[in-house]
Amino acid sequence: MTATNEHPAAKAPGIFEVTKRLKSWARDVSGDATAFAASRAITHHNWHAAESMPAPRHYESPAALDALEAVRTGVLPHEAFNNEAIGDLPRTTTGMQAAVTLRLLHDAGAPLELMSVLTAAYGVDIHDVQEVVERNRLEGTGSAGLQRGGRPYVEPSRGVEDGVVSGEPVLVPWNADAIDRGTKAHKDLEVEVAAHVRESGLLPLSPCGGDEPFDVAWVADSVLYVCEVKSLTDANQESQLRLGLGQLLAYLFRTKAEHWPDIDRMRGVLAVEGPPKRLDWVDIRAEHGVTLTWPGRFPEVCGEAAAQRNPSD
């Protein structure tokens, strides 16, 4: 990885506009708490080269305070932001911390045109960071967020457009998943799934550092349930169902067992707004070990998990 800390990234052309657009994307389109926290962390990183950082524990900017709170609550890993050295982790701002922050934004689906400006300004290759993140996780170093999967569920943020947007366009943009996660229908469905999990006596989870970007997860009787939520319209059912199945299979394959101690196996759950027009999708999902569910069937999925947790009930 190449990185320089001699000059603040804020001196690079277009950084202010790009960072402003990134914050708007994270808040209003992504709806992902980690993406928003990372957008605040990179705002701080932009202003401070290594030689010009504020004194330890004296960060006062709104962006820095937002990022520190996100670290405190486990939304953002220490590898992306801290205001004092922690073990082998240096203080902000370093090329590595900026790269980890940018990696989080990349994995959350941040627009490519924004990411390219930022990575160029920092001189980093975000793909080089994955090795560092994996090593920290396997060796038990770095932040707690990179040692163990999941964190208590965080509801997606809401924007003013949520009052009128309930579906997604028929023309699918380059990052269909990011667009879907920004719709009111997706957010409502995700919150409903989490509520059913909670009502079943289980703990709904959101992704933590190092996790795959699932929507909701829960653990019951040493089984990790990974749930992907998809909004549906008459025009996009096939594409959404295919996208959801592909995402779940990738999440299940890439999830490391050592990141989830005491987990014996994993199951995928695809939650959609209603029964698909082609019910053979139920069989297609089952063939790949994925459960297809929708409102009215959520209790079955959560009830099954709860029964595994309390077989004597």
Side-chain angles (χ1 to χ4, degrees), residues 11 43 67 188 246 257:
K11 291 187 176 182
T43 299
D188 289 345

Side-chain angles (χ1 to χ4, degrees), residues 25-310:
W25 166 83
R27 180 189 61 213
D28 301 330
V29 178
S30 170
D32 179 75
T34 299
F36 181 75
S39 76
R40 303 302 283 152
I42 203 66
T43 299
H44 169 87
H45 291 327
N46 287 345
W47 281 101
H48 300 289
E51 295 81 4
S52 64
M53 290 186 291
R57 291 169 288 185
H58 284 77
Y59 290 0
E60 298 179 350
S61 73
L65 294 178
D66 286 348
L68 286 173
E69 176 64 14
V71 171
R72 186 189 69 80
T73 57
V75 173
L76 202 65
H78 287 296
E79 283 80 357
F81 195 91
N82 61 65
N83 66 343
E84 57 184 314
I86 303 174
D88 294 332
L89 297 174
R91 287 181 55 213
T92 55
T93 299
T94 68
M96 177 59 69
Q97 289 205 345
V100 171
T101 303
L102 292 171
R103 175 75 193 212
L104 292 171
L105 290 165
H106 166 79
D107 289 347
L112 183 61
E113 66 270 20
L114 305 183
M115 293 298 297
S116 61
V117 174
L118 287 164
T119 53
Y122 282 96
V124 302
D125 183 345
I126 56 177
H127 299 290
D128 290 343
V129 183
Q130 187 65 22
E131 180 181 348
V132 176
V133 172
E134 291 292 332
R135 185 171 67 250
N136 285 347
R137 189 163 64 196
L138 293 175
E139 295 176 355
T141 58
S143 71
L146 293 178
Q147 295 177 38
R148 188 181 181 94
R151 57 188 167 92
Y153 177 69
V154 179
E155 289 192 10
S157 63
R158 304 281 182 169
V160 294
E161 78 283 355
D162 286 342
V164 295
V165 178
S166 61
E168 65 172 2
V170 175
L171 295 178
V172 180
W174 74 274
N175 193 333
D177 183 51
I179 294 298
D180 180 60
R181 291 180 186 223
T183 66
K184 180 177 184 299
H186 184 286
K187 295 174 184 179
D188 289 345
L189 191 60
E190 179 185 316
V191 170
E192 186 175 351
V193 171
H196 275 292
V197 172
R198 195 176 290 112
E199 290 167 5
S200 300
L202 303 167
L203 177 65
L205 302 170
S206 288
C208 197
D211 288 332
E212 293 301 310
F214 55 78
D215 289 318
V216 188
W218 60 92
V219 176
D221 194 31
S222 300
V223 179
L224 170 63
Y225 292 81
V226 178
C227 179
E228 177 67 21
V229 171
K230 281 284 173 276
S231 63
L232 298 181
T233 67
D234 288 342
N236 71 6
Q237 285 199 8
E238 282 291 306
S239 61
Q240 286 289 81
L241 289 165
R242 291 171 186 170
L243 176 61
L245 176 59
Q247 286 177 269
L248 276 172
L249 293 179
Y251 296 166
L252 295 173
F253 180 82
R254 293 170 180 166
T255 294
K256 303 293 190 299
E258 58 269 19
H259 194 39
W260 294 83
D262 305 320
I263 294 299
D264 294 334
R265 57 195 177 94
M266 295 176 285
R267 294 190 60 179
V269 177
L270 181 65
V272 296
E273 288 185 85
K277 290 184 293 185
R278 293 192 55 165
L279 290 178
D280 60 353
W281 272 107
V282 175
D283 298 326
I284 293 173
R285 304 289 168 164
E287 186 73 18
H288 290 84
V290 171
T291 300
L292 179 63
T293 188
W294 51 84
R297 294 187 57 170
F298 292 164
E300 297 177 18
V301 178
C302 297
E304 175 187 346
Q308 292 186 23
R309 184 188 183 201
N310 303 296

Side-chain angles (χ1 to χ4, degrees), residues 4-25:
T4 176
N5 294 288
E6 297 178 1
H7 304 287
K11 291 187 176 182
I15 283 292
F16 295 120
E17 176 61 24
V18 162
T19 306
K20 181 179 178 181
R21 290 173 58 194
L22 185 67
K23 177 184 175 183
S24 296
W25 166 83

